Amino acid sequence: MACLKCGTMTEDGALLCESCADVSIEDPRFFLNPSLIGQSVFKRLRAEGSATILIGPNSGSDTVLVRSFDVEQTVNDAVIPAMREEDARPFYESCNTILCHLGVPLKFDRPIILLNDDSAVTISTIVQKVNALRGTYQGQIMSDLCLRMGMIYWYAYHGILLRTSPKAWSAKKREEFYRKAGEYLSNVPENDDLRSIAEYNLGVFGSDAHDWPSAEVHLSKALAHFPGDQGLIEYLAKAHLELGNRMDAMARIDEALAAADTPRLWVLKGRVLQGMGMLAESVECFNRALTLDPKFLEAHDRIISALRGMGRVEEASMAERQRAMAKTPDLDQKVSELISEIKKASAEASVPHVRHAMPPPLQVKEPEITEAISYPIELAKEALKSGNFDSAIQMAEHILKEDPNSRDAQLVLVESLVATNDIARASSAIHKFYEKNREDSHAWYWRGKVADREGKWGASVQYYSKAVTLDPTYTDAWLSMGELLLGNDKVSGADESFSRALQLSGSNPRAWLGKAKAMHKLGRWGAAIQCMDKYNMLAPRDKDAWLLKADLLFEKEKFRRAIEAYDTFLELDQDDSYALGRKGVSLNAIGMPDEARKCLEEAVRLDPNNRDAAKWLKAIIGEDGR
């Protein structure tokens, strides 16, 4: 590639050659990258701040007001070679004041400084003059200024010029900037109160520069002064990991996770487990990180690597597709549009809920029925699980008479009523539960189920969305929302819901089937087939799924695989004219006309109205001349 400035061919595809990079680094705009906010913004803010002081209620003050321009002019006019020792300290103080005014911090807390052109020029001038004066009067420099100078060099370490120049030149400059930052930070005396911040910055800088031994030493010292700093614990754990101290790293990570559940920490823990050969446990950590942040690309990369290392190629391929989705730039916009459509479709959800009075209990005269019977909740759950919904309803209502606040009994009652399609009573029961448990994800989930049965699909999606907001690990809510969106042709949202369900439970058949249907509607038949393969492994007796898979293969003219799928379906349902007809067409397509004719004849015998089978049978008979 040719250099953008002089046209000379560059190495490594760099945008600038080394000569032009040397010239450009002297420009303050490349030493410290200014942001595009205009030159007057900071000056206007300073002027307004000064005006506020002057116009304030205090007519007189002992404070001497000094304009920023006057301080900057003092620094700009300073002649370093002619400066006397007694003038060095005031000069350093002026430089520190200006750097503070321009937003250069003492402690590493953000990766960039917000600068404009004139600020970058001022800071660059200060750096040049402090470097020159430090060689003569080093003992006069202040600790505050040392910290800020270290920060400036660290920001320069991340400058855009170092990312666009030849690798050898950039590596040399980064080494220089890292060394200078370390010199200034190490210049803070051991007995100075700011030494703890210097240790913190040295540790963070060392970690970012991959100088792990130095990082571990300084971070350990800093941790004694900042014992509760989660970022510091995370940096130290990473340093332990890179140096091979896995047990120390694990201890630091668990300590940090106890205080803050963040995706970066889960990825770090997964890396430790991966290094210890515990691949299955590491995948769980990476999945946890993706649950917290589905767009965390490092977690996607790590889980792909772990799955491939375990030989789970299909799941690794699915993870790669999920990573590609996470990188989609317009995904947020699509989600926003989807939410807007849902809100429009759920206008009926804003109608005030009408409470339905429960009918008075029937007065049963039989004494054996009115006797006090104590049903444990386990019996009600077992009845629900076995499909005996009437018994489950009876037991749940009896339990609620004795304990009206029993959460489990209320949920068993609601689920049983929904299963028996008694939506009016289910609506009343879930509303009572919701009134007392507004932050319970199950309340929102069953409100979504009831709303779906009432035909209010937009409101139902909103309720499911609230359920997964309260509990991001609620797999059934993700699945129900995905199925509802898919049924209403909101395919992108459905695909996202099924993907989240698979992140939580990679062996959930319902999630794989939903994902397959979503991929089919999105026109991604290859992904749909892979998802169907996974579902068939988990639910081999689902004949409808085999027929769907066979039809997908048939549509894409993958006739041999389609025949295998039709055969499996016909083993489960032998007398199906449609499947026999399609199998016959597939057999004919691969050059097996005799077998095709037998299938088509049987298809027409089972259903004389199967026109496709009859048409293909007639065509095959015509070709055979019989």
Side-chain angles (χ1 to χ4, degrees):
M1 181 178 290
C3 174
L4 295 179
K5 295 189 71 174
C6 68
T8 305
M9 296 305 295
T10 63
E11 300 175 357
D12 308 318
L15 300 180
L16 293 175
C17 65
E18 291 193 10
S19 299
C20 293
D22 283 328
V23 174
S24 298
I25 197 67
E26 301 299 328
D27 187 336
R29 293 175 302 172
F30 289 105
F31 179 67
L32 295 171
N33 309 136
S35 59
L36 302 178
I37 60 175
Q39 290 189 335
S40 62
V41 175
F42 279 95
K43 291 183 178 179
R44 184 170 68 252
L45 291 174
R46 297 170 195 160
E48 290 176 358
S50 300
T52 302
I53 295 175
L54 293 174
I55 301 174
N58 297 327
S59 57
S61 174
D62 295 335
T63 303
V64 178
L65 301 178
V66 180
R67 294 183 302 170
S68 298
F69 175 80
D70 294 340
V71 179
E72 293 176 8
Q73 193 63 34
T74 302
V75 173
N76 291 331
D77 293 343
V79 180
I80 300 303
M83 185 172 292
R84 297 174 299 179
E85 184 175 0
E86 57 268 23
D87 295 330
R89 182 74 177 187
F91 176 78
Y92 284 139
E93 291 177 348
S94 298
C95 292
N96 184 61
T97 300
I98 295 172
L99 294 179
C100 178
H101 199 185
L102 294 178
V104 180
L106 294 174
K107 185 179 177 184
F108 180 86
D109 57 357
R110 56 185 183 274
I112 59 172
I113 315 176
L114 184 65
L115 298 177
N116 61 349
D117 282 348
D118 65 326
S119 300
V121 172
T122 301
I123 294 175
S124 298
T125 302
I126 290 175
V127 169
Q128 293 173 4
K129 296 196 173 184
V130 169
N131 280 334
L133 187 60
R134 178 167 168 263
T136 307
Y137 304 121
Q138 182 174 354
Q140 299 292 330
I141 195 169
M142 306 152 49
S143 297
D144 307 57
L145 184 57
C146 287
L147 292 175
R148 297 190 202 278
M149 289 291 291
M151 296 300 294
I152 291 169
Y153 273 111
W154 193 246
Y155 292 127
Y157 182 97
H158 291 284
I160 190 172
L161 191 62
L162 275 66
R163 300 196 297 270
T164 55
S165 302
K167 292 182 179 179
W169 185 90
S170 298
K172 180 180 178 181
K173 278 296 176 184
R174 283 200 173 95
E175 182 180 354
E176 176 188 345
F177 291 160
Y178 177 59
R179 176 177 53 79
K180 284 184 173 293
E183 289 175 358
Y184 275 107
L185 293 171
S186 300
N187 200 52
V188 178
E190 291 286 346
N191 58 351
D192 196 303
D193 292 339
L194 296 179
R195 181 65 191 186
S196 58
I197 297 179
E199 296 288 356
Y200 186 106
N201 291 351
L202 283 166
V204 173
F205 296 166
S207 177
D208 207 0
H210 296 175
D211 184 1
W212 302 115
S214 173
E216 184 181 31
V217 171
H218 293 296
L219 290 170
S220 299
K221 291 181 179 179
L223 192 60
H225 299 279
F226 305 98
D229 192 306
Q230 297 302 312
L232 186 58
I233 295 174
E234 183 178 342
Y235 278 116
L236 184 54
K238 190 174 182 180
H240 285 316
L241 175 61
E242 295 295 339
L243 291 172
N245 304 328
R246 294 193 180 96
M247 299 310 297
D248 290 338
M250 184 67 76
R252 294 297 183 189
I253 294 169
D254 289 338
E255 179 185 350
L257 281 172
D261 200 17
T262 65
R264 292 193 313 275
L265 289 171
W266 281 107
V267 168
L268 205 55
K269 184 171 183 177
R271 286 181 58 192
V272 176
L273 293 171
Q274 196 173 12
M276 297 169 66
M278 304 170 68
L279 296 181
E281 292 79 0
S282 71
V283 169
E284 293 179 5
C285 293
F286 299 142
N287 277 325
R288 177 59 179 165
L290 290 175
T291 301
L292 297 172
D293 183 3
K295 297 182 180 180
F296 194 24
L297 295 183
E298 185 181 356
H300 283 287
D301 293 336
R302 294 287 178 180
I303 199 170
I304 291 169
S305 173
L307 289 172
R308 291 200 180 280
M310 297 168 66
R312 293 156 62 175
V313 181
E314 291 184 359
E315 294 182 41
S317 299
M318 182 63 64
E320 287 176 346
R321 289 191 290 275
Q322 291 171 353
R323 185 188 188 282
M325 289 173 54
K327 293 179 65 177
T328 305
D330 57 344
L331 183 60
D332 290 336
Q333 181 181 355
K334 290 181 179 179
V335 172
S336 300
E337 292 173 357
L338 175 63
I339 293 174
S340 299
E341 292 179 14
I342 292 172
K343 288 182 178 179
K344 290 179 182 178
S346 60
E348 68 271 18
S350 60
V351 179
H353 181 79
V354 180
R355 294 194 178 216
H356 299 280
M358 292 288 291
L362 295 176
Q363 300 295 327
V364 183
K365 295 182 180 180
E366 287 78 6
E368 63 274 10
I369 303 298
T370 56
E371 289 180 359
I373 303 174
S374 178
Y375 294 110
I377 189 61
E378 288 75 15
L379 284 179
K381 290 181 178 180
E382 186 63 31
L384 173 63
K385 185 178 180 180
S386 63
N388 190 354
F389 302 118
D390 291 335
S391 297
I393 292 172
Q394 182 181 359
M395 293 179 187
E397 288 178 335
H398 189 90
I399 293 171
L400 290 172
K401 287 180 182 178
E402 298 178 352
D403 181 8
N405 296 321
S406 173
R407 178 180 180 275
D408 290 341
Q410 287 176 297
L411 291 175
V412 168
L413 177 61
V414 171
E415 186 172 353
S416 301
L417 291 171
V418 171
T420 56
N421 209 31
D422 192 347
I423 303 305
R425 290 178 63 194
S427 177
S428 175
I430 191 55
H431 188 73
K432 288 181 179 178
F433 180 74
Y434 162 73
E435 287 296 328
K436 295 181 180 179
N437 303 273
R438 292 179 177 267
E439 298 302 315
D440 192 319
S441 58
H442 288 77
W444 289 96
Y445 171 75
W446 286 107
R447 288 189 76 191
K449 283 289 186 184
V450 171
D452 183 22
R453 294 293 184 92
E454 293 174 339
K456 303 175 182 178
W457 77 271
S460 179
V461 171
Q462 284 187 315
Y463 296 151
Y464 290 143
S465 179
K466 180 65 174 179
V468 297
T469 300
L470 292 172
D471 182 6
T473 64
Y474 200 166
T475 305
D476 285 343
W478 284 113
L479 291 171
S480 297
M481 181 162 59
E483 291 164 350
L484 188 56
L485 289 169
L486 189 64
N488 288 275
D489 293 326
K490 306 299 180 184
V491 186
S492 297
D495 182 37
E496 176 69 15
S497 297
F498 292 129
S499 296
R500 293 297 296 273
L502 287 171
Q503 291 173 9
L504 298 170
S505 178
S507 300
N508 190 302
R510 188 175 158 197
W512 283 110
L513 180 61
K515 184 75 173 178
K517 293 179 178 179
M519 292 294 98
H520 180 219
K521 287 196 173 186
L522 288 171
R524 297 167 57 185
W525 79 271
I529 294 298
Q530 287 185 343
C531 293
M532 288 303 304
D533 288 340
K534 184 68 175 179
Y535 176 75
N536 293 144
M537 291 173 58
L538 297 170
R541 303 295 299 175
D542 188 343
K543 62 181 183 179
D544 292 336
W546 283 107
L547 185 59
L548 174 60
K549 178 181 178 180
D551 285 343
L552 287 175
L553 293 165
F554 182 89
E555 290 173 9
K556 294 298 177 182
E557 300 182 357
K558 305 295 181 181
F559 295 117
R560 293 188 183 276
R561 291 195 64 193
I563 292 169
E564 295 175 0
Y566 283 128
D567 283 340
T568 305
F569 170 78
L570 289 168
E571 290 176 4
L572 301 172
D573 190 349
Q574 296 180 1
D575 298 330
D576 190 281
S577 173
Y578 171 82
L580 282 167
R582 285 260 174 141
K583 179 184 175 183
V585 175
S586 301
L587 287 167
N588 185 60
I590 63 173
M592 302 175 67
D594 293 337
E595 291 81 353
R597 180 175 176 175
K598 292 178 183 178
C599 286
L600 291 168
E601 287 176 345
E602 180 66 12
V604 173
R605 186 189 69 80
L606 291 171
D607 182 7
N609 296 321
N610 189 336
R611 296 181 179 179
D612 287 339
K615 180 184 72 173
W616 278 98
L617 179 60
K618 183 178 180 180
I620 292 175
I621 292 175
E623 291 174 1
D624 292 343
R626 288 174 283 178

